[in-house]
Amino acid sequence: MSGKRGSRIRERADPKLIDENYVVESRITETGRKIIDLVYEMRAIKTKDIITILGAGQRYIQKVLQDLYEKRFLDRRFPQSYLGEGSSQAIYFLDEAGKIFIAGSRRMDLKQVKWRKRENLIYGPELQHTLGIAGVRATLTEAARKRGGEIKDFRGDTSTRITFNYEAQEFIFEADAFLTYKEEKTLFDYFLEFDRGTMTIQNFTDKINHYEAFYLSGEYKTMYEAYPVIMVITTSMARARHMVEEVKKRRTEKDIIYLFTSLDDFEKDTFGKIYITDNLGQKVSILD
């Protein structure tokens, strides 16, 4: 037997045994419940970002993750690590028992849960985009914690996709994420767009059109007290400025607020004056 003395390889639960009774009878901690919900919203997320978002000890979170993996509430894979980068970070996805858990905890029919096993097979740019959004959530959570605030709500594109009609045309609205930040008694709502430099200008233009149609349709009033600010995080400030120019050329509704910054600036000073708008003037904070 290889490995440390006294260690053993624990097998995963038989997938044929996964049903509602199995999920109900499984002993899932409160932390485990939060992790399952987090993984469902993010679709894919690295271990380190789960640890940051939950704000708990690394060893404890890894123990809970191992338990959820063995019980098939979560699936995982280890992408290849490269020389000099250290060990590879596990990426977690939902699994069959997790799907049943989500249906029960959110009082949904199983068919309403927006997850299929094949969705765990994403690779390349799509996976990097998904992981990037989870990384943004982790950065926001940590920065909020340091200034005494908190992320009250964060929904990935699993929950932001809606269909609405405007001027006899059907639109599918889907932000990369929606979040609510709370500081003292004030709430701030944002739509998030994460650009890895791969979004074409045409795709970005389509996004602008959909955001404006969603606003003008009034559909947002059934979900939000006011129209959320649109926060766009991209690869560089040069690209951010280019995107600002596109908004200036194509927007028609002046009441919608767009904020742009680079990922590097966002990670260094999340709540600082690092965001540019489509209006002339100095950089602003997302709280201005």
Side-chain angles (χ1 to χ4, degrees):
M1 179 182 294
S2 62
K4 295 180 180 179
R5 184 178 179 182
S7 66
R8 64 188 179 87
I9 298 174
R10 289 152 53 177
E11 295 184 358
R12 301 188 73 197
D14 185 344
K16 296 178 182 178
L17 300 178
I18 307 300
D19 59 15
E20 289 186 11
N21 288 332
Y22 171 86
V23 171
V24 170
E25 293 171 4
S26 294
R27 299 178 64 183
I28 305 300
T29 64
E30 181 62 26
T31 298
R33 292 169 180 266
K34 290 178 180 178
I35 290 175
I36 296 168
D37 193 69
L38 170 63
V39 174
Y40 173 64
E41 279 295 341
M42 295 293 92
R43 293 198 297 144
I45 184 171
K46 294 179 181 179
T47 306
K48 67 181 182 66
D49 290 331
I50 296 173
I51 293 168
T52 297
I53 292 167
L54 267 63
Q58 178 176 334
R59 287 189 178 182
Y60 174 63
I61 293 296
Q62 289 177 328
K63 181 180 178 181
V64 175
L65 286 169
Q66 180 65 26
D67 183 61
L68 294 174
Y69 172 71
E70 290 173 1
K71 292 177 179 177
R72 293 190 183 271
F73 284 82
L74 299 182
D75 198 359
R76 74 183 180 199
R77 69 174 186 252
F78 291 87
Q80 182 180 0
S81 60
Y82 297 94
L83 188 63
E85 292 185 354
S87 60
S88 178
Q89 277 276 327
I91 299 172
Y92 282 89
F93 307 85
L94 203 66
D95 210 340
E96 294 295 345
K99 179 179 181 178
I100 297 171
F101 172 86
I102 290 294
S105 66
R106 299 193 178 199
R107 304 191 180 208
M108 301 162 61
D109 187 274
L110 202 58
K111 293 180 180 179
Q112 293 177 298
V113 178
K114 297 176 182 178
W115 176 85
R116 299 291 182 272
K117 184 74 172 180
R118 63 178 178 270
E119 293 179 19
N120 293 1
L121 299 176
I122 60 172
Y123 290 90
E126 183 181 0
L127 176 59
Q128 293 307 313
H129 182 260
T130 301
L131 293 174
I133 295 167
V136 166
R137 177 172 182 174
T139 298
L140 273 166
T141 301
E142 188 169 40
R145 202 176 281 141
K146 288 178 179 178
R147 59 185 287 127
E150 63 175 318
I151 304 301
K152 290 290 292 182
D153 190 11
F154 195 108
R155 296 177 234 155
D157 59 5
T158 299
S159 300
T160 62
R161 183 185 176 94
I162 64 167
T163 302
F164 68 94
N165 292 294
Y166 174 63
E167 293 186 341
Q169 183 179 353
E170 185 177 84
F171 289 83
I172 296 176
F173 177 82
E174 185 179 53
D176 283 340
F178 165 80
L179 66 107
T180 298
Y181 170 69
K182 181 181 180 183
E183 187 162 302
E184 296 180 348
K185 296 182 179 181
T186 306
L187 299 176
F188 303 85
D189 289 342
Y190 306 92
F191 288 127
L192 171 68
E193 292 295 333
F194 181 68
D195 169 47
R196 297 182 58 252
T198 56
M199 181 163 41
T200 67
I201 292 301
Q202 183 58 55
N203 286 343
F204 182 60
T205 300
D206 290 343
K207 284 269 188 180
I208 295 171
N209 292 339
H210 285 199
Y211 274 115
E212 296 212 351
F214 187 48
Y215 175 84
L216 293 168
S217 72
E219 192 77 22
Y220 74 93
K221 294 177 182 178
T222 64
M223 293 172 270
Y224 313 108
E225 289 189 12
Y227 199 75
V229 171
I230 301 165
M231 183 184 352
V232 183
I233 301 172
T234 187
T235 52
S236 67
M237 289 309 296
R239 184 168 172 84
R241 284 188 286 270
H242 182 59
M243 297 174 95
V244 166
E245 292 305 314
E246 289 300 318
V247 171
K248 285 182 180 180
K249 287 190 293 186
R250 303 177 187 280
R251 72 180 301 172
T252 58
E253 182 47 60
K254 298 297 183 182
D255 289 338
I256 300 175
I257 299 173
Y258 294 85
L259 299 177
F260 298 82
T261 194
S262 69
L263 180 60
D264 186 54
D265 285 349
F266 174 79
E267 291 177 339
K268 289 178 180 176
D269 193 13
T270 308
F271 289 94
K273 293 185 180 296
I274 61 167
Y275 302 86
I276 57 176
T277 73
D278 58 336
N279 298 317
L280 296 175
Q282 297 179 339
K283 291 181 181 179
V284 299
S285 163
I286 55 173
L287 305 181
D288 288 343

